Amino acid sequence: MNAANPLVRAIEADFGYQGRAVVRGASLEVVPGEFVALAGSNGSGKTTLVRGLLGLVPVMAGRVERRPGLRVGYVPQRETLDPLYPLTGFDVTLLGACRDLPFWRVAGAAERGRARAALAATQGESFARSRYATLSGGQRQRVLIARALATEPALLVLDEPTAGVDPQTEAAILEVLVRLARERGLAVWMVTHHLHATTGRVDRLVHVRDGRLAREGAA
Amino acid sequence: MSFLLGRDFLFANAVTGGLLVALVCSLLGIYVILRRMVLLGVALPQAGAAGVAAAFWLTGHVHGPGQGHFGALAGSLLATFGALALLLVAQRRGRSPAEWSIGSLLALASAATVLFVAIDPTGDLELTNLMRGELLAIGDTDLYLLAAATAAALVLFGLFRREILLASFDPEFARTIGREPARADALLFLLLGTAISLGVMTAGPLVVFGFLVLPPLAALRLAPRLGAAFALAAAVAAGASVGGFAVAYHADLPAGPTSVALAGGAWLLAAAFGRLRARRGGLRALLLLALLAGGAGLLGCAAPRRGAEPAPLPDGSLPDLTGRGPVAVAPFRNETGDPLRLPESNPLDELGRAAGDPFAGPGRSVPDALQALAVQELTRRSVSVRSVDEARAIFPRPPADAAGATRRAQEAGLQGPVLLGTLRRFVVTGQGGLLLARLELLLVDPADGSVLWRGEASRPVPVRSALTLQEVLIDAGPALFSQAFDRP
């Protein structure tokens, strides 16, 4: 870990929507190679907190510092993506691999290779050619993680990646994330309700209660 | 069907224009469906139509190449983009669902269109045509503008395809990788607004909405990938547009709704194929679909044709003119008391050019068109006829009577009979009713001034689907000459 040079640092930051702060006084650091689980009840502000750290939600007070040129791989809640789109698992992953491609260029061998490697890292090659809409919850999650990985991020942020999947799939997804954090030195921040599954796998557990960081500690 | 796109074909501009509208709408329509904004797809064309109606009312309206048309285009653009801006503001500021504001816009735009039509004494026919999806009056200037806009839209759409997909499929992810989805959204709405404005001007709101929705729906039912969906939507749109025009031409139906109906048929077939594929596997479903399509094709082939090569007709009551030389059809006299002027940019231009340019210069009227139709109808009856140009060179003005025609023909050394025509009545009753016409024809031998034949058309002719004078002529012209030539 490199606590002296965090990827993201929040100092007494408030995050919210339409003038209303949902998360208040958040102070924390995101450091490379650390696997952090962010837990809390529904509506406590977990998602707002990670979205605030990524800059998707405005900072209403305090400060958020991001390392210049920080590359973030974001895995949203998979229910937010419309299965109507006729995209395969590979197509979705390729969107991440084209991150640095100018808009007028067609995805080439390099981008395709990066997408394939990302799918391999999440053990998603077997369903890469299937339509995203036809994939199971766990398979979709692997595709979305692969898409985030294909952006070659330093920080991977996942919003409830194991919601609605069976315990075996949940364990398999978590193993993939642990491996990515260990082998690639990725900072992984994961919003979850399933604390029991994270036990022994994450480096740190952050609790959010009523919009405030309630407790931080080793898992 | 290739004759439809030939430059000599009467409605070549209309077919090409309809095809361009169908292509651009169907491609952009993929995102109208995927982003679940179908209601927007009907509300914006209606807003564009209201803008056209307002422009007709404000400018006094002339629907043809020239100022009036550009005024209407400006009206369509302003109304479409104004509606888009209002919706975006409402979406950003309001807390109510987007459907509420879009539904309100649709209701208001529909009401405004009807009201503008009601208070505009001159524009109602043309606007009614537009609302019905008639594609007949597309001038060269309109077509070039439409082609340029379509090309620009397709280039931009192709260049920014990935940005638009990212912004549509997962805008949050787009932002995390440094793309600004609002820009891609703005581009998509700019393209949609432009396509809808031009499409409404060209083909009307019904056609625009139909092609925004039906070909994409058919394509998304079948296509395994997004690229294939775009290709399939374009193919369905092109087929439905050109095929619809062919069916409309043969069956005397309005072209726009016929094209939309064909696109709807394609969607139903695609949906049936999708279900069959899910149940029985791709190959069986494909075979069944081919059978269905083949059956439909056979039915289409069996449909009566009103093709580009009309069949020869019997001479009817006309005398045998063998050996007398070609007939010169003199300009027809207008004794109706009404100038019966035809608006510019009417499709009979092409028909006239094919028959010898009877409409050269300004001031074309129904009698001029009837002169050209007389040449065409005599030709169909295997009568040797001089071109309209030749006849006009001999008779610059309609002869007053048989004696005047004989004198002029003898001065010009004309060999062959002269056909004189006098139009005494030309009135269409009610909305889409009957044509009450009285056309008297006289065939004179210029050698001695004797009358070879007399004919008259005076029975009412139904013109239910005709709303403009040129449509009345297209619908009723052959029937009028049939009465005159064929009645004993």
Side-chain angles (χ1 to χ4, degrees), chain B residues 10-11 249 252 306-307 310-311 313-314 332 348 351 366 369-378 380-381 426 435 437 439 441 456-463 466 469-487:
Chain B
L10 187 61
F11 306 118
Y249 181 69
D252 194 19
R306 202 184 66 183
L313 295 175
F332 286 12
L348 285 168
L351 179 66
V366 169
L370 287 172
Q371 183 196 8
L373 282 169
V375 170
Q376 191 181 48
E377 291 297 319
L378 285 171
R380 289 180 69 196
R381 287 162 176 80
F426 197 89
L435 170 66
L439 175 65
L441 299 175
E456 181 183 294
S458 56
R459 285 191 212 153
V461 181
V463 285
L469 279 180
Q470 51 266 57
E471 285 182 353
V472 168
L473 282 167
I474 290 167
D475 285 359
L480 285 177
F481 285 99
S482 176
Q483 286 182 33
F485 290 143
D486 303 335
R487 198 164 55 180

Side-chain angles (χ1 to χ4, degrees), chain B residues 271-345:
Chain B
F273 176 75
R275 280 179 179 272
L276 283 170
R277 185 172 56 180
R279 281 188 197 169
R280 302 185 181 188
L283 191 61
R284 282 188 188 184
L286 197 63
L287 282 172
L288 200 61
L289 192 72
L291 276 174
L292 281 171
L298 282 176
L299 281 175
C301 291
R305 286 180 173 256
R306 202 184 66 183
E309 298 291 338
L313 295 175
D315 290 355
S317 62
L318 286 169
D320 183 7
L321 298 172
T322 313
R324 288 185 177 271
V327 173
V329 180
F332 286 12
R333 291 186 67 80
N334 182 357
E335 298 290 345
T336 63
D338 184 332
L340 294 175
R341 293 275 179 232
L342 290 171
E344 294 295 322
S345 186

Side-chain angles (χ1 to χ4, degrees), chain B residues 165-184:
Chain B
L165 172 61
L166 259 173
S168 304
F169 181 59
D170 195 349
E172 292 228 315
F173 178 77
R175 288 177 67 189
T176 63
I177 62 171
R179 303 292 210 276
E180 185 45 67
R183 286 187 200 157

Side-chain angles (χ1 to χ4, degrees), chain B residues 74-127:
Chain B
S76 179
L77 282 165
L78 275 174
T80 306
F81 282 104
L84 255 178
L86 279 176
L87 289 175
L88 287 175
V89 168
Q91 197 178 337
R92 287 193 174 221
R93 291 193 178 172
R95 293 169 186 272
S96 53
E99 283 84 358
W100 294 9
S101 40
I102 298 174
S104 304
L105 168 72
L106 174 59
L108 284 172
S110 305
T113 309
V114 173
L115 287 174
F116 280 124
V117 169
I119 59 177
D120 181 2
T122 55
D124 62 336
L125 268 186
E126 297 293 350
L127 198 71

Side-chain angles (χ1 to χ4, degrees), chain A residues 55-116:
Chain A
L56 298 175
V57 171
V59 182
M60 302 173 70
R63 204 163 78 237
V64 175
E65 298 165 353
R66 295 181 197 88
R67 185 188 284 181
L70 174 67
R71 296 173 75 99
V72 177
Y74 178 56
V75 181
Q77 293 183 20
R78 65 175 184 279
E79 287 78 13
T80 61
L81 302 183
D82 197 332
L84 203 58
Y85 285 72
L87 299 170
T88 63
F90 181 79
D91 294 334
V92 174
T93 310
L94 193 61
L95 286 173
C98 292
R99 177 197 165 120
D100 299 322
L101 200 63
F103 67 86
W104 65 88
R105 290 263 311 276
V106 177
E111 288 76 26
R112 292 177 172 277
R114 207 155 49 240
R116 274 194 290 272

Side-chain angles (χ1 to χ4, degrees), chain A residues 139-199:
Chain A
Q139 288 171 331
R140 286 187 193 182
Q141 207 60 63
R142 286 167 191 264
V143 167
L144 294 181
I145 295 171
R147 181 182 67 169
L149 283 181
T151 65
E152 299 182 323
L155 167 61
L156 189 61
V157 176
L158 306 99
D159 195 353
E160 300 198 34
T162 57
V165 300
D166 59 64
Q168 288 83 3
T169 307
E170 180 180 31
I173 289 171
L174 286 172
E175 286 309 319
V176 167
L177 295 175
V178 169
R179 188 160 43 79
L180 289 172
R182 300 286 176 270
E183 293 176 2
R184 302 193 181 194
L186 280 180
V188 179
W189 276 59
M190 179 181 76
V191 174
T192 184
H193 281 291
H194 302 174
L195 287 179
H196 60 278
T198 61
T199 307

